[in-house]
Amino acid sequence: MKEINIEERISLATAFDMEDIIERYMKDYDAPLNVGKEHARELIRYLILCAIDPKKKYGMRGPVDDVWHTFLLFTYEYRQFCGLIAGRFIHHKPETRKRPPDKESYRNTFRDYEKYFGEQPPLSIWPAPIEVAGACSSSCNSCGGGCSACAGGCTGCTNCGSDCDNQ
């Protein structure tokens, strides 16, 4: 396969007919059309990242993974899509006891998403990794540091690691 640039990958991927996949996703997950399309768009972007750098690990979860599971049911279309944007099959490697979640791979997704698509991933679909979530207004009585993340709750003090106050 000839090397294609990011703009060509995006163009090919977004032009791919996802109508049947979105319809099945909407049925299986009781999602309205606009949500099905938005989640499919995010999966396409995730798969584009995987196509750009096959050696780099990218992580995802939530509705993006759910759409991927739906897409995988359409084996013929999924294989076509992968060949079109990556020139190879993009394997789904779920977390297992032997392959636990990798925080760095999720951070890679956030960094490269912004790099290639010019915006942060929508936090309504992609829960923010700690460094994206920012610091809370909570403070730690022990050392005066701040909370390490607000999205989904405080994960501890940025300075000493103890539980923050006002969680």
Side-chain angles (χ1 to χ4, degrees), residues 27-68:
K27 177 181 170 244
D28 290 352
Y29 292 90
D30 194 30
L33 180 60
N34 64 321
V35 170
K37 286 182 174 182
E38 183 181 34
H39 292 176
R41 173 184 175 259
E42 295 307 310
L43 172 63
I44 287 169
R45 286 185 166 195
Y46 173 80
L47 293 172
I48 289 169
L49 293 177
C50 294
I52 291 169
D53 192 347
K55 291 182 177 135
K56 193 175 223 179
K57 290 183 180 180
Y58 292 103
M60 56 76 181
R61 56 188 165 177
V64 179
D65 192 38
D66 295 338
V67 177
W68 198 358

Tab-separated table of all heavy atoms in Angstrom, residues 27-68:
chain	number	residue	atom	x	y	z
A	27	LYS	N	-29.517	0.209	17.733
A	27	LYS	CA	-30.452	-0.824	18.182
A	27	LYS	C	-29.927	-1.525	19.437
A	27	LYS	O	-30.642	-1.672	20.429
A	27	LYS	CB	-30.655	-1.843	17.059
A	27	LYS	CG	-31.554	-2.997	17.414
A	27	LYS	CD	-31.667	-3.976	16.244
A	27	LYS	CE	-32.366	-5.230	16.684
A	27	LYS	NZ	-31.542	-6.403	16.618
A	28	ASP	N	-28.675	-1.954	19.410
A	28	ASP	CA	-28.100	-2.711	20.524
A	28	ASP	C	-27.905	-1.878	21.790
A	28	ASP	O	-27.970	-2.410	22.898
A	28	ASP	CB	-26.761	-3.328	20.119
A	28	ASP	CG	-26.915	-4.461	19.116
A	28	ASP	OD1	-28.060	-4.881	18.838
A	28	ASP	OD2	-25.882	-4.930	18.599
A	29	TYR	N	-27.641	-0.590	21.634
A	29	TYR	CA	-27.345	0.265	22.787
A	29	TYR	C	-28.422	1.317	23.036
A	29	TYR	O	-28.218	2.234	23.835
A	29	TYR	CB	-25.965	0.916	22.624
A	29	TYR	CG	-24.859	-0.106	22.702
A	29	TYR	CD1	-24.396	-0.761	21.559
A	29	TYR	CD2	-24.300	-0.458	23.926
A	29	TYR	CE1	-23.405	-1.726	21.636
A	29	TYR	CE2	-23.308	-1.413	24.014
A	29	TYR	CZ	-22.872	-2.045	22.869
A	29	TYR	OH	-21.886	-3.005	22.959
A	30	ASP	N	-29.543	1.186	22.357
A	30	ASP	CA	-30.678	2.094	22.529
A	30	ASP	C	-30.220	3.553	22.457
A	30	ASP	O	-30.487	4.355	23.352
A	30	ASP	CB	-31.391	1.798	23.852
A	30	ASP	CG	-32.757	2.458	23.924
A	30	ASP	OD1	-33.384	2.643	22.867
A	30	ASP	OD2	-33.191	2.795	25.045
A	31	ALA	N	-29.496	3.856	21.401
A	31	ALA	CA	-28.942	5.197	21.222
A	31	ALA	C	-29.653	5.911	20.074
A	31	ALA	O	-29.976	5.284	19.058
A	31	ALA	CB	-27.448	5.105	20.907
A	32	PRO	N	-29.893	7.215	20.205
A	32	PRO	CA	-30.466	7.974	19.092
A	32	PRO	C	-29.438	8.146	17.969
A	32	PRO	O	-28.231	7.968	18.178
A	32	PRO	CB	-30.847	9.309	19.720
A	32	PRO	CG	-30.037	9.420	20.956
A	32	PRO	CD	-29.712	8.024	21.404
A	33	LEU	N	-29.908	8.511	16.801
A	33	LEU	CA	-29.051	8.638	15.614
A	33	LEU	C	-27.870	9.579	15.839
A	33	LEU	O	-26.738	9.232	15.499
A	33	LEU	CB	-29.873	9.100	14.410
A	33	LEU	CG	-29.118	9.278	13.095
A	33	LEU	CD1	-28.478	7.965	12.654
A	33	LEU	CD2	-30.054	9.810	12.013
A	34	ASN	N	-28.115	10.750	16.420
A	34	ASN	CA	-27.006	11.700	16.605
A	34	ASN	C	-25.925	11.125	17.517
A	34	ASN	O	-24.736	11.340	17.297
A	34	ASN	CB	-27.507	13.051	17.124
A	34	ASN	CG	-28.136	12.977	18.509
A	34	ASN	OD1	-28.850	12.016	18.844
A	34	ASN	ND2	-27.894	13.984	19.317
A	35	VAL	N	-26.304	10.362	18.522
A	35	VAL	CA	-25.332	9.745	19.425
A	35	VAL	C	-24.582	8.629	18.695
A	35	VAL	O	-23.358	8.519	18.797
A	35	VAL	CB	-26.022	9.215	20.705
A	35	VAL	CG1	-25.064	8.369	21.538
A	35	VAL	CG2	-26.568	10.376	21.519
A	36	GLY	N	-25.309	7.812	17.939
A	36	GLY	CA	-24.667	6.748	17.165
A	36	GLY	C	-23.630	7.302	16.205
A	36	GLY	O	-22.519	6.772	16.100
A	37	LYS	N	-23.971	8.383	15.528
A	37	LYS	CA	-23.032	9.004	14.590
A	37	LYS	C	-21.815	9.596	15.314
A	37	LYS	O	-20.688	9.471	14.848
A	37	LYS	CB	-23.725	10.096	13.777
A	37	LYS	CG	-24.647	9.562	12.720
A	37	LYS	CD	-25.276	10.691	11.923
A	37	LYS	CE	-26.096	10.159	10.774
A	37	LYS	NZ	-26.665	11.254	9.958
A	38	GLU	N	-22.068	10.229	16.456
A	38	GLU	CA	-20.965	10.833	17.217
A	38	GLU	C	-20.013	9.757	17.737
A	38	GLU	O	-18.790	9.899	17.634
A	38	GLU	CB	-21.537	11.653	18.378
A	38	GLU	CG	-20.480	12.378	19.180
A	38	GLU	CD	-21.067	13.169	20.341
A	38	GLU	OE1	-22.073	12.738	20.941
A	38	GLU	OE2	-20.486	14.225	20.652
A	39	HIS	N	-20.561	8.669	18.250
A	39	HIS	CA	-19.711	7.598	18.763
A	39	HIS	C	-18.938	6.923	17.628
A	39	HIS	O	-17.760	6.588	17.791
A	39	HIS	CB	-20.544	6.578	19.539
A	39	HIS	CG	-21.102	7.124	20.812
A	39	HIS	ND1	-21.943	6.403	21.613
A	39	HIS	CD2	-20.946	8.335	21.430
A	39	HIS	CE1	-22.286	7.125	22.674
A	39	HIS	NE2	-21.691	8.306	22.571
A	40	ALA	N	-19.584	6.738	16.486
A	40	ALA	CA	-18.901	6.154	15.323
A	40	ALA	C	-17.770	7.076	14.849
A	40	ALA	O	-16.688	6.601	14.482
A	40	ALA	CB	-19.888	5.890	14.203
A	41	ARG	N	-18.011	8.376	14.874
A	41	ARG	CA	-16.971	9.347	14.483
A	41	ARG	C	-15.737	9.196	15.380
A	41	ARG	O	-14.593	9.215	14.906
A	41	ARG	CB	-17.514	10.764	14.593
A	41	ARG	CG	-16.472	11.849	14.378
A	41	ARG	CD	-17.125	13.226	14.607
A	41	ARG	NE	-16.161	14.277	14.530
A	41	ARG	CZ	-15.619	14.885	15.590
A	41	ARG	NH1	-15.951	14.553	16.803
A	41	ARG	NH2	-14.746	15.850	15.434
A	42	GLU	N	-15.967	9.032	16.676
A	42	GLU	CA	-14.857	8.892	17.608
A	42	GLU	C	-14.110	7.572	17.396
A	42	GLU	O	-12.895	7.524	17.504
A	42	GLU	CB	-15.332	9.039	19.049
A	42	GLU	CG	-15.858	10.437	19.363
A	42	GLU	CD	-14.869	11.537	19.003
A	42	GLU	OE1	-13.693	11.442	19.405
A	42	GLU	OE2	-15.266	12.504	18.321
A	43	LEU	N	-14.843	6.505	17.087
A	43	LEU	CA	-14.172	5.236	16.776
A	43	LEU	C	-13.319	5.395	15.525
A	43	LEU	O	-12.173	4.944	15.495
A	43	LEU	CB	-15.175	4.099	16.566
A	43	LEU	CG	-14.539	2.796	16.052
A	43	LEU	CD1	-13.544	2.225	17.061
A	43	LEU	CD2	-15.605	1.788	15.689
A	44	ILE	N	-13.857	6.034	14.516
A	44	ILE	CA	-13.096	6.252	13.280
A	44	ILE	C	-11.813	7.022	13.593
A	44	ILE	O	-10.731	6.671	13.113
A	44	ILE	CB	-13.957	6.986	12.228
A	44	ILE	CG1	-15.011	6.020	11.672
A	44	ILE	CG2	-13.097	7.571	11.115
A	44	ILE	CD1	-16.083	6.689	10.833
A	45	ARG	N	-11.917	8.042	14.413
A	45	ARG	CA	-10.720	8.806	14.775
A	45	ARG	C	-9.721	7.942	15.536
A	45	ARG	O	-8.516	8.026	15.307
A	45	ARG	CB	-11.100	10.054	15.570
A	45	ARG	CG	-11.717	11.124	14.683
A	45	ARG	CD	-11.987	12.382	15.435
A	45	ARG	NE	-12.269	13.464	14.482
A	45	ARG	CZ	-12.275	14.746	14.803
A	45	ARG	NH1	-12.023	15.125	16.042
A	45	ARG	NH2	-12.532	15.654	13.885
A	46	TYR	N	-10.212	7.124	16.442
A	46	TYR	CA	-9.337	6.220	17.188
A	46	TYR	C	-8.612	5.270	16.228
A	46	TYR	O	-7.399	5.078	16.320
A	46	TYR	CB	-10.145	5.426	18.229
A	46	TYR	CG	-9.337	4.363	18.904
A	46	TYR	CD1	-8.472	4.678	19.943
A	46	TYR	CD2	-9.409	3.034	18.489
A	46	TYR	CE1	-7.703	3.697	20.563
A	46	TYR	CE2	-8.650	2.055	19.102
A	46	TYR	CZ	-7.799	2.393	20.132
A	46	TYR	OH	-7.034	1.417	20.725
A	47	LEU	N	-9.347	4.688	15.293
A	47	LEU	CA	-8.749	3.744	14.345
A	47	LEU	C	-7.765	4.438	13.411
A	47	LEU	O	-6.769	3.845	13.003
A	47	LEU	CB	-9.836	3.003	13.571
A	47	LEU	CG	-10.690	2.047	14.418
A	47	LEU	CD1	-11.870	1.513	13.614
A	47	LEU	CD2	-9.853	0.913	14.981
A	48	ILE	N	-8.022	5.707	13.095
A	48	ILE	CA	-7.062	6.478	12.302
A	48	ILE	C	-5.744	6.603	13.068
A	48	ILE	O	-4.668	6.423	12.501
A	48	ILE	CB	-7.625	7.868	11.929
A	48	ILE	CG1	-8.734	7.725	10.878
A	48	ILE	CG2	-6.520	8.797	11.423
A	48	ILE	CD1	-9.533	8.996	10.645
A	49	LEU	N	-5.827	6.881	14.363
A	49	LEU	CA	-4.596	6.956	15.176
A	49	LEU	C	-3.847	5.633	15.119
A	49	LEU	O	-2.630	5.608	14.946
A	49	LEU	CB	-4.921	7.314	16.630
A	49	LEU	CG	-5.484	8.705	16.891
A	49	LEU	CD1	-5.811	8.869	18.376
A	49	LEU	CD2	-4.533	9.785	16.416
A	50	CYS	N	-4.582	4.538	15.265
A	50	CYS	CA	-3.951	3.213	15.211
A	50	CYS	C	-3.302	2.962	13.848
A	50	CYS	O	-2.262	2.306	13.762
A	50	CYS	CB	-4.992	2.123	15.492
A	50	CYS	SG	-5.655	2.154	17.161
A	51	ALA	N	-3.906	3.494	12.797
A	51	ALA	CA	-3.372	3.314	11.444
A	51	ALA	C	-2.115	4.147	11.225
A	51	ALA	O	-1.184	3.705	10.550
A	51	ALA	CB	-4.433	3.693	10.406
A	52	ILE	N	-2.077	5.330	11.794
A	52	ILE	CA	-0.939	6.236	11.610
A	52	ILE	C	0.335	5.664	12.227
A	52	ILE	O	1.402	5.721	11.631
A	52	ILE	CB	-1.240	7.622	12.231
A	52	ILE	CG1	-2.322	8.331	11.431
A	52	ILE	CG2	0.021	8.481	12.303
A	52	ILE	CD1	-2.867	9.568	12.117
A	53	ASP	N	0.218	5.136	13.430
A	53	ASP	CA	1.401	4.652	14.137
A	53	ASP	C	1.126	3.266	14.731
A	53	ASP	O	0.739	3.150	15.890
A	53	ASP	CB	1.805	5.632	15.243
A	53	ASP	CG	3.171	5.334	15.824
A	53	ASP	OD1	3.715	4.229	15.566
A	53	ASP	OD2	3.703	6.199	16.543
A	54	PRO	N	1.319	2.216	13.923
A	54	PRO	CA	0.997	0.871	14.395
A	54	PRO	C	1.861	0.372	15.551
A	54	PRO	O	1.478	-0.562	16.244
A	54	PRO	CB	1.198	-0.004	13.158
A	54	PRO	CG	1.995	0.791	12.210
A	54	PRO	CD	1.807	2.233	12.558
A	55	LYS	N	2.983	1.020	15.793
A	55	LYS	CA	3.855	0.581	16.891
A	55	LYS	C	3.477	1.226	18.224
A	55	LYS	O	3.874	0.757	19.288
A	55	LYS	CB	5.307	0.896	16.563
A	55	LYS	CG	5.829	0.042	15.429
A	55	LYS	CD	7.280	0.324	15.130
A	55	LYS	CE	7.728	-0.634	14.042
A	55	LYS	NZ	8.482	-0.017	13.007
A	56	LYS	N	2.702	2.298	18.162
A	56	LYS	CA	2.320	3.016	19.375
A	56	LYS	C	1.036	2.404	19.937
A	56	LYS	O	0.138	2.038	19.190
A	56	LYS	CB	2.085	4.490	19.050
A	56	LYS	CG	2.000	5.390	20.252
A	56	LYS	CD	1.887	6.824	19.785
A	56	LYS	CE	2.753	7.733	20.594
A	56	LYS	NZ	2.665	9.113	20.113
A	57	LYS	N	0.977	2.298	21.238
A	57	LYS	CA	-0.223	1.762	21.884
A	57	LYS	C	-1.198	2.898	22.162
A	57	LYS	O	-0.811	3.939	22.706
A	57	LYS	CB	0.136	1.070	23.197
A	57	LYS	CG	0.889	-0.214	23.013
A	57	LYS	CD	1.153	-0.868	24.349
A	57	LYS	CE	1.920	-2.158	24.159
A	57	LYS	NZ	2.192	-2.817	25.436
A	58	TYR	N	-2.448	2.683	21.760
A	58	TYR	CA	-3.514	3.636	22.028
A	58	TYR	C	-4.578	2.947	22.868
A	58	TYR	O	-4.892	1.785	22.640
A	58	TYR	CB	-4.130	4.154	20.733
A	58	TYR	CG	-3.191	5.026	19.935
A	58	TYR	CD1	-2.544	4.545	18.812
A	58	TYR	CD2	-2.951	6.333	20.324
A	58	TYR	CE1	-1.667	5.348	18.092
A	58	TYR	CE2	-2.068	7.137	19.604
A	58	TYR	CZ	-1.440	6.636	18.493
A	58	TYR	OH	-0.582	7.430	17.794
A	59	GLY	N	-5.125	3.680	23.812
A	59	GLY	CA	-6.153	3.118	24.666
A	59	GLY	C	-7.470	3.835	24.472
A	59	GLY	O	-7.521	4.988	24.055
A	60	MET	N	-8.540	3.127	24.756
A	60	MET	CA	-9.872	3.729	24.735
A	60	MET	C	-10.785	2.885	25.587
A	60	MET	O	-10.427	1.792	26.009
A	60	MET	CB	-10.396	3.908	23.322
A	60	MET	CG	-10.456	2.679	22.490
A	60	MET	SD	-11.801	1.621	22.900
A	60	MET	CE	-11.480	0.368	21.744
A	61	ARG	N	-11.966	3.426	25.827
A	61	ARG	CA	-12.949	2.726	26.648
A	61	ARG	C	-14.320	3.345	26.417
A	61	ARG	O	-14.453	4.281	25.654
A	61	ARG	CB	-12.550	2.788	28.114
A	61	ARG	CG	-12.360	4.195	28.619
A	61	ARG	CD	-11.791	4.221	30.001
A	61	ARG	NE	-11.317	5.593	30.251
A	61	ARG	CZ	-10.809	5.992	31.370
A	61	ARG	NH1	-10.675	5.156	32.349
A	61	ARG	NH2	-10.409	7.222	31.529
A	62	GLY	N	-15.302	2.785	27.082
A	62	GLY	CA	-16.644	3.341	27.027
A	62	GLY	C	-17.323	3.157	25.684
A	62	GLY	O	-17.159	2.119	25.035
A	63	PRO	N	-18.063	4.163	25.241
A	63	PRO	CA	-18.854	4.015	24.017
A	63	PRO	C	-18.021	3.782	22.761
A	63	PRO	O	-18.487	3.151	21.817
A	63	PRO	CB	-19.652	5.315	23.924
A	63	PRO	CG	-18.978	6.280	24.822
A	63	PRO	CD	-18.268	5.470	25.869
A	64	VAL	N	-16.785	4.248	22.749
A	64	VAL	CA	-15.932	4.006	21.573
A	64	VAL	C	-15.673	2.506	21.445
A	64	VAL	O	-15.750	1.942	20.350
A	64	VAL	CB	-14.615	4.808	21.669
A	64	VAL	CG1	-13.726	4.536	20.468
A	64	VAL	CG2	-14.905	6.299	21.782
A	65	ASP	N	-15.414	1.852	22.551
A	65	ASP	CA	-15.209	0.413	22.552
A	65	ASP	C	-16.496	-0.318	22.161
A	65	ASP	O	-16.462	-1.299	21.418
A	65	ASP	CB	-14.722	-0.048	23.925
A	65	ASP	CG	-14.207	-1.475	23.941
A	65	ASP	OD1	-13.558	-1.888	22.954
A	65	ASP	OD2	-14.431	-2.175	24.934
A	66	ASP	N	-17.626	0.178	22.622
A	66	ASP	CA	-18.912	-0.438	22.268
A	66	ASP	C	-19.169	-0.377	20.760
A	66	ASP	O	-19.616	-1.350	20.158
A	66	ASP	CB	-20.056	0.237	23.027
A	66	ASP	CG	-19.987	0.033	24.529
A	66	ASP	OD1	-19.332	-0.931	24.980
A	66	ASP	OD2	-20.586	0.853	25.256
A	67	VAL	N	-18.879	0.763	20.149
A	67	VAL	CA	-19.049	0.876	18.691
A	67	VAL	C	-18.077	-0.054	17.980
A	67	VAL	O	-18.420	-0.671	16.976
A	67	VAL	CB	-18.844	2.329	18.193
A	67	VAL	CG1	-18.956	2.408	16.683
A	67	VAL	CG2	-19.845	3.265	18.823
A	68	TRP	N	-16.865	-0.168	18.511
A	68	TRP	CA	-15.880	-1.070	17.897
A	68	TRP	C	-16.400	-2.503	17.924
A	68	TRP	O	-16.295	-3.234	16.950
A	68	TRP	CB	-14.541	-0.952	18.607
A	68	TRP	CG	-13.369	-1.477	17.824
A	68	TRP	CD1	-13.383	-2.070	16.581
A	68	TRP	CD2	-11.998	-1.451	18.211
A	68	TRP	NE1	-12.108	-2.407	16.192
A	68	TRP	CE2	-11.246	-2.031	17.171
A	68	TRP	CE3	-11.338	-0.983	19.329
A	68	TRP	CZ2	-9.864	-2.166	17.235
A	68	TRP	CZ3	-9.963	-1.105	19.386
A	68	TRP	CH2	-9.230	-1.696	18.343
